Every structure is written in structure tokens, then in C-alpha cells.
Amino acid sequence: GLIPVDGKAIGHLNYCSLINLRGVSYTNKRRPPLHETETSVENVLPFLLERMGPFFLVPILVGDLKDLDGHYSAARIEAVADAIRGIMDEKTLLVVSTDFTHYGNDLSFRPFSENVSENIEQLDRQAIDLVIKRDFDGFIKYLEKTHNPICGQAALLILMKLLPEQARGQMLGYAQSMTKTKDPNRSVSYAAINFYDPTQPPRPAI
């Protein structure tokens, strides 16, 4: 289906110097394609439309937000989070789309060669636990220690800044692609995590 973007909200984000607005163009060869080739937004849209009905969308792609030394800048992440916070209200659904562990030679990450599935799950569970606890500093230390190439790590850091103090998280599901492909040399992990406010009554089902 067709999903309209929220032009007013997107215009507000443009006031943040760390956010660039980009129109979608499949014919402009003078700039690197971003939204044109990125799939994480499009992957979730059919599910949201089926579950929620009509809504307005603010699609955001997140870069690494690191400083010149290659470390995550808490100030940059907070600035982006502040900009996003400015367009959110009690009806906003914030969705962060990312994979977790990317394992394999072609994915440039193979820290172990035995008990692969178990070791991948241990890596994933550590990361997921830090996200659920909203442990911003702990998650950065985990990334620096493990070098786990989680593709949406900066988006997860922004999420931690945006979640209210009373938010509680729970993992709804977890899977590794190798369980489907039966290929022990290559795997990508996925998890579904939900955050909710236990002080608020649940919204009625649609």
C-alpha cells in the first residue's frame, strides 16, 4: 500500500545539523544512493500497515555518529535523539530495525569456529540484555570489546536515549539464519524487542 510521509515532522528534523534531508531519486547518479538501496525501512512497512492501518511515516537512516577517533560521540547521539524527541508524542510508535550478529568470513566476523550457534547466541544475548537495560555506556563497551558488526548499533544507541526512564523491555523472539539455511559458516541474527510503559494502560487492539 501507499504510506504518506509526515512532511511537517521531517521539516522539523531538518533543524538538526546532524540530519540531512534526502529525496528518493533512482536517476541521480551523482550522489551515493541511501534510501534507494536501503531495505530496513521497507521491510517493516507491510507489517505496520497491516497491523496499524493508515499512518504517517518519518523514515530515518542512521550513520555511525562517531568522532574523528572512531568512537561513538555521546553528544552527537544525544543531539539526534533530541531532534527526534521533538516530533514524538503519545501516539508515536518508534521502530528501530537492525540485525544483530553477522557471522562469517564474507561478513568479516568470525571470532570462533566451534559451537558456532551457541557462541553467536551468547554474543547476541549480551547485546540484547544491554539494550533492554538501556545501558548506553555498557553497549558501547560491548561493541568495542567484541567488534560485533551489528548494523544498526548507532540506531540502538539513539533508542536508549529516547526511551523514558519508566520504560521496560522484553524480548519477544530470537532466531539465527543458520537454523534455516543449515550453513554453519554464515549466519545473521534477529530479535524482536518490545518496550512499554508499565504505568500506562495498554492501548486497545486494532
Side-chain angles (χ1 to χ4, degrees), residues 48-202:
L48 294 176
L49 193 59
E50 172 66 21
R51 184 67 181 87
M52 298 173 58
F55 64 91
F56 287 93
L57 174 71
V58 180
I60 302 173
L61 302 184
V62 182
D64 60 24
L65 296 175
K66 293 180 179 178
D67 59 25
L68 295 178
D69 295 324
H71 302 295
Y72 276 111
S73 168
R76 292 182 183 184
I77 291 169
E78 186 64 61
V80 173
D82 278 343
I84 296 173
R85 192 179 293 113
I87 63 170
M88 295 177 65
D89 60 26
E90 70 278 359
K91 294 182 179 180
T92 302
L93 174 65
L94 179 65
V95 178
V96 173
S97 178
T98 179
D99 305 328
F100 278 87
T101 299
H102 290 60
Y103 174 87
N105 290 339
D106 60 329
L107 298 172
S108 301
F109 186 68
R110 190 166 180 157
F112 37 75
S113 57
E114 297 181 353
N115 302 317
V116 173
S117 180
E118 292 83 356
N119 282 319
I120 288 176
E121 181 168 355
Q122 184 178 21
L123 270 179
D124 287 328
R125 298 280 179 172
Q126 292 174 19
I128 292 167
D129 186 56
L130 290 166
V131 172
I132 288 176
K133 291 179 178 178
R134 306 189 315 278
D135 187 346
F136 184 89
D137 294 331
F139 189 65
I140 291 178
K141 290 177 181 177
Y142 164 88
L143 296 171
E144 293 174 344
K145 178 181 178 180
T146 65
H147 303 287
N148 192 347
I150 298 172
C151 60
Q153 49 192 249
L156 290 170
L157 289 168
I158 293 171
L159 170 68
M160 294 182 209
K161 291 292 186 180
L162 284 172
L163 288 168
E165 184 63 31
Q166 68 271 20
R168 296 293 178 266
Q170 59 182 344
M171 188 172 72
L172 305 178
Y174 172 79
Q176 299 172 11
S177 64
M178 70 164 56
T179 62
K180 300 293 184 182
T181 63
K182 308 303 180 185
D183 181 2
N185 297 309
R186 189 181 195 278
S187 186
V188 179
S189 302
Y190 307 91
I193 304 171
N194 175 55
F195 287 92
Y196 64 97
D197 183 350
T199 67
Q200 299 296 317

